[in-house]
Structure formats: structure tokens, C-alpha cells
Amino acid sequence: MSMDMTFLGTGSAYPAPHRGASALVLRTDGDCWLFDCGEGTQTQLMKSQLRAGRITKVFISHLHGDHLFGLPGLLCTLKCVDIYGPRGLRHFLRVTLGLTGSQLVFPYAVHELEPTPDQSPEEGWLTLHPQEQQGRSIALDPSSDTYLLLEDSKFVVRAFRLFHRVPSFGFCVQERDRPGGSGQSCFWNWCKLNFLEISTISVLYYALCIH
């Protein structure tokens, strides 16, 4: 199975003329998964060979603006999509889409990761947006110290805790074993590193997530 990654942006804090804010696309068998959606991600997609309509899943590492300010606008052009991110992401989208009166063509669902007590600030609740479908609240699995986000015949996707100024998560996409081959994971051995160790590694920043 072919898998490739496209870095749409690697900038921090805000986009620059020649460097977009955080966004990465993992493409496999025609499907595209978006990891983070900083400001200007739609523009970066248009400049790439990728098609926004192929995006079926979005993973948000944490709720700082440079990692999600592009998401409300992108939802206005995407087809049905599942979104995974920290608790509070539903609130953000309900407020943003509600105040702007955004009319989405396709439904979306937000699956929130429940931070552990040392990560989590209090946050309020709003009613569902008309096109929001009910998503899951995903708790930490203490046996593996990870969050199981999804699994099918091809992949298992898990999240792991990072410690930043706000609740933050990294993501691991693991390919299932195939006849005649072995499963592959994206930097799985790094998943157990803490944030300070991860932040010193400059190779493929996104699999390690944030800075």
C-alpha cells in the first residue's frame, strides 16, 4: 500500500509568504487525512496536487490558533468528515460556525479526546451546529497510555498525550499486518518520548506534533 505525506505548512505562530502555518496531509489509496489546519490551509491545498474533496478525516493536535484557525473555512468546502482533537474543539467550531452563520453543505462529526486532569482546563458547552453529527468523547486507555481513535482493516490510529501550555496530542497511524509483509507505523517508537525530547528532533516535525 502506498503512503505519502505532503507538508502544506510548517510555520509556527502565523503563516509567512513562503511558509504556511501547521498542516500536513497523509495520502493513501486515494483518501487524504489532514493533520492540523492552520490559517491559509485552503490556499496551500490549492497550490498542491491534492484535492480538498478527498479529505475524510482531520486530526487537530491542540487548540492554539496556528494549528486550527483554518478549519472553520475548510469545513465550508469539505465533504462529510470526521474530526479528532482535544476537548473544546466542538465548542470552538460551534461558536465560529454559529456566529458567522456558516451554511455547511455536508455534515461533520467531532470526536474529542478527554485530557487527563493535569492537561485539562474547564470549558463550556453549546448546542450542536445544524450540520454537526454527534461525535464521541474518547478517554485515555490506561493500559496503553493512548487514545484509540479509529481502526479498520487497513489502519489503527491512536493519539498520545503531549504536555504543552494547553492540552495537546500527537497521532500515530499504524498500518495493519499484511500477508507477506509487516505493519508499519509513523514514528511509533517516538510516541513514548515526552514533549521536551520530541521538540529537539527536527525530522518530520508533524509526526512529533508541536512546538
Side-chain angles (χ1 to χ4, degrees):
M1 178 185 302
S2 64
M3 298 173 64
D4 63 76
M5 291 188 290
T6 300
F7 290 88
L8 299 175
T10 59
S12 175
Y14 50 84
H18 304 291
R19 189 181 185 191
S22 300
L24 177 151
V25 173
L26 173 66
R27 181 172 55 178
T28 174
D29 287 351
D31 287 334
C32 294
W33 296 354
L34 176 65
F35 291 81
D36 275 354
C37 188
E39 180 183 350
T41 295
Q42 282 197 86
T43 302
Q44 295 298 96
L45 278 167
M46 293 174 187
K47 293 178 180 178
S48 74
Q49 299 299 313
L50 302 169
R51 294 174 56 187
R54 298 270 187 174
I55 296 174
T56 58
K57 299 187 189 328
V58 178
F59 302 85
I60 300 298
S61 62
H62 65 296
L63 301 185
H64 278 166
D66 55 333
H67 292 257
L68 87 160
F69 276 165
L71 183 56
L74 187 61
L75 282 180
C76 294
T77 60
L78 290 182
K79 295 183 179 180
C80 304
V81 65
D82 286 295
I83 305 167
Y84 299 83
R87 190 176 70 187
L89 185 55
R90 287 193 195 117
H91 188 146
F92 169 77
L93 289 175
R94 290 172 188 176
V95 169
T96 306
L97 297 174
L99 289 177
T100 57
S102 299
Q103 302 295 316
L104 305 188
V105 179
F106 298 100
Y108 71 94
V110 180
H111 310 286
E112 290 190 330
L113 285 65
E114 293 289 344
T116 50
D118 52 345
Q119 288 183 297
S120 179
E122 293 298 323
E123 57 96 10
W125 302 98
L126 296 175
T127 57
L128 271 67
H129 182 275
Q131 281 287 27
E132 180 186 352
Q133 298 178 331
Q134 187 62 54
R136 296 176 291 145
S137 293
I138 307 172
L140 179 72
D141 175 10
S143 63
S144 63
D145 200 31
T146 64
Y147 299 77
L148 178 61
L149 304 187
L150 63 98
E151 56 181 335
D152 56 25
S153 60
K154 298 178 181 178
F155 296 102
V156 177
V157 182
R158 295 180 180 272
F160 53 95
R161 294 180 300 158
L162 297 175
F163 293 89
H164 193 30
R165 288 178 290 124
V166 294
S168 307
F169 299 90
F171 302 99
C172 175
V173 179
Q174 185 171 21
E175 185 180 3
R176 288 192 181 278
D177 291 343
R178 295 171 292 163
S182 59
Q184 301 178 24
S185 62
C186 296
F187 304 101
W188 180 248
N189 289 334
W190 284 343
C191 292
K192 295 182 180 179
L193 296 177
N194 63 38
F195 169 71
L196 292 176
E197 292 170 321
I198 287 174
S199 64
T200 65
I201 302 173
S202 61
V203 179
L204 291 183
Y205 92 101
Y206 195 86
L208 317 175
C209 262
I210 61 175
H211 48 83

